[in-house]
Amino acid sequence: MANTKRGRLQNEQRRLKRNHGRGYGPIPEIDRNGITELIEAYDEENLSASKPSGESYRTVATLSAWLERLITTSKRMDSPLMEASSDEINQVMMNMHKKDGLSKTTVSNYQYAVRRLIRFHDLEHIEPEEVSAYEPDGEGIDPSDILNR
């Protein structure tokens, strides 16, 4: 089962819930729960959660990408992602580009995943648009990003 996209997603979800495996620690409980709720809501095979009205379900590939990006972002934060200010989130994203050398296009994928999390949970202290988003830089896929996954 773990050899299919669905099986890999389910394994990663279980690891996240247990907060271990593949370098998942520490991820604050509030982030683990928030990320889990988002992924489950947009998964049409998960009957325990409802997607927002007017939204469509997402593919397993999209859900896996959101999961990986949100876990990575949470691990880089000094405070829980679900409680972070836009300034804190934007600083982490800027560091991903300037210090880690990820392309703006790659970082924008992380920014959009964080915006989706904020929008889904309707967080009161932050608006999705307060998380800056790089415009695609036209560089396409960064080969070093592929090797890091």
Side-chain angles (χ1 to χ4, degrees):
M1 175 99 158
N3 292 331
T4 66
K5 289 180 183 181
R6 167 76 49 199
R8 287 189 297 275
L9 174 63
Q10 290 170 339
N11 283 343
E12 294 304 306
Q13 288 177 289
R14 280 192 292 276
R15 285 187 182 115
L16 175 62
K17 286 180 182 179
R18 293 189 311 253
N19 198 29
H20 69 78
R22 291 197 40 186
Y24 285 172
I27 295 178
E29 183 176 2
I30 190 171
D31 288 356
R32 289 194 318 267
N33 292 340
I35 294 167
T36 297
E37 289 169 11
L38 172 73
I39 301 303
E40 288 178 351
Y42 283 95
D43 183 353
E44 73 180 319
E45 290 192 16
N46 187 319
L47 302 178
S48 67
S50 299
K51 67 177 174 48
S53 67
E55 291 278 336
S56 59
Y57 291 111
R58 298 305 196 273
T59 66
V60 172
T62 297
L63 297 175
S64 293
W66 286 356
L67 183 62
E68 182 270 329
R69 292 169 185 149
L70 292 169
I71 288 169
T72 298
T73 303
S74 177
K75 288 169 47 175
R76 290 172 177 253
M77 300 296 300
D78 290 331
S79 61
L81 177 59
M82 296 280 292
E83 297 173 349
S85 70
S86 59
D87 289 341
E88 292 171 298
I89 295 168
N90 290 332
Q91 184 62 52
V92 166
M93 297 298 170
M94 189 168 59
N95 289 344
M96 292 171 85
H97 173 61
K98 292 189 176 189
K99 291 184 180 177
D100 299 338
L102 297 179
S103 72
K104 288 181 179 179
T105 301
T106 298
V107 175
S108 70
N109 290 322
Y110 287 83
Q111 292 165 320
Y112 289 123
V114 170
R115 284 180 168 189
R116 172 69 61 183
L117 181 73
I118 293 166
R119 188 175 296 111
F120 176 77
H121 287 289
D122 195 22
L123 299 180
E124 293 180 10
H125 70 281
I126 187 172
E127 293 295 322
E129 293 74 25
E130 292 175 16
V131 174
S132 299
Y134 286 122
E135 293 297 318
D137 56 16
E139 294 177 15
I141 297 173
D142 186 341
S144 65
D145 293 348
I146 294 171
L147 297 175
N148 288 329
R149 289 189 178 195

